[in-house]
Amino acid sequence: MAAAYPPGGTFFDTRKSFATIPLEPSFDPQIPTGPFLEAAESLTALFDVLGSAAFKPVKSDMNGNIKKIRDRQLASPLESETLQGLVKAELRGKKSHTATEGLVWLVRGLDFTAQALRHNTSNPSSELAASFRESYTHTLKPHHSMFVKPIFSAAMSATPYRKDFYAKLGDDQTRVSKELDAWLAALEKNVKVLNTFLAKPEAKW
């Protein structure tokens, strides 16, 4: 896949980053729905960089969950300014938990991606396939059926060599490393906030 950015640029130049999402107040961060969904959509483009058709189901699953949340946001905009508000309002209505369930699965997918890339950047000798397998064991695998697990297993086996993957993120590897780390740290912070919220009784159905 050819890079879609000019020489010296990186994958992150044209993508909405989780780093742009304000997390306020600091003691109980509320995540704005719109910017979060835009950043999540941008993240799915990373699966295109991984370059295998095997990742299409992974990307499709994440985009499907994004759509469930956005549909709820469009139907009840005033109650959906933040993800936490959206979940509370939906569950309060007791008619559906579609968007809430979509958020649960989306966060699992984001966590899967974050842990895989964190493992890979922290272990310079590790190939992507090993990092994604390690992450899958701790994030998505416990929640997947026997029918879904082979799909993800195929995707992880089809990951490119790490040197090829990082080369596709940009020509300047020093800049790629710096921007990837900042992007990843922001993703991890958002995932942590949402995992804490989704573990509360008020987010259960």
Side-chain angles (χ1 to χ4, degrees):
M1 185 185 93
Y5 25 84
T10 75
F11 168 84
F12 306 99
D13 290 343
T14 57
R15 307 294 172 187
K16 179 78 173 180
S17 171
F18 288 92
T20 64
I21 300 174
L23 298 180
E24 299 174 347
S26 59
F27 63 88
D28 184 24
Q30 301 297 298
I31 298 182
T33 303
F36 177 86
L37 293 180
E38 290 176 14
E41 283 178 324
S42 287
L43 177 145
T44 65
L46 200 64
F47 295 115
D48 295 330
V49 180
L50 287 167
S52 170
F55 274 96
K56 286 185 178 179
V58 181
K59 180 178 179 180
S60 177
D61 182 68
M62 292 184 73
N63 280 327
N65 289 315
I66 291 170
K67 183 180 185 303
K68 290 175 184 177
I69 301 165
R70 180 166 282 131
D71 285 348
R72 174 70 192 188
Q73 178 194 25
L74 293 174
S76 304
L78 296 180
E79 296 178 322
S80 305
E81 292 184 354
T82 68
L83 291 171
Q84 291 93 330
L86 180 152
V87 167
K88 291 175 184 177
E90 182 181 54
L91 297 183
R92 198 163 50 237
K94 298 182 178 180
K95 292 182 180 180
S96 171
H97 56 260
T98 300
T100 301
E101 187 173 9
L103 180 61
V104 168
W105 279 104
L106 178 58
V107 172
R108 287 172 180 167
L110 295 175
D111 198 12
F112 161 68
T113 308
Q115 288 196 35
L117 292 176
R118 178 58 71 194
H119 180 276
N120 200 253
T121 57
S122 300
N123 296 275
S125 63
S126 180
E127 286 294 340
L128 284 171
S131 294
F132 273 95
R133 287 194 190 99
E134 175 74 13
S135 174
Y136 183 66
T137 299
H138 299 295
T139 55
L140 290 170
K141 188 175 181 179
H143 309 287
H144 278 168
S145 70
M146 60 183 292
F147 302 105
V148 175
K149 288 175 183 176
I151 297 174
F152 276 73
S153 178
M156 290 178 285
S157 296
T159 52
Y161 289 115
R162 66 174 293 139
K163 65 179 179 61
D164 296 331
F165 170 69
Y166 289 108
K168 288 180 179 179
L169 294 179
D171 298 328
D172 185 341
Q173 286 298 294
T174 300
R175 187 179 172 201
V176 166
S177 179
K178 181 179 179 180
E179 293 186 2
L180 173 58
D181 190 64
W183 179 86
L184 194 51
L187 169 59
E188 290 168 330
K189 183 180 286 188
N190 276 263
V191 167
K192 183 178 180 180
V193 168
L194 287 170
N195 273 334
T196 298
F197 169 68
L198 292 170
K200 295 178 179 180
E202 61 191 328
K204 306 296 183 184
W205 63 88

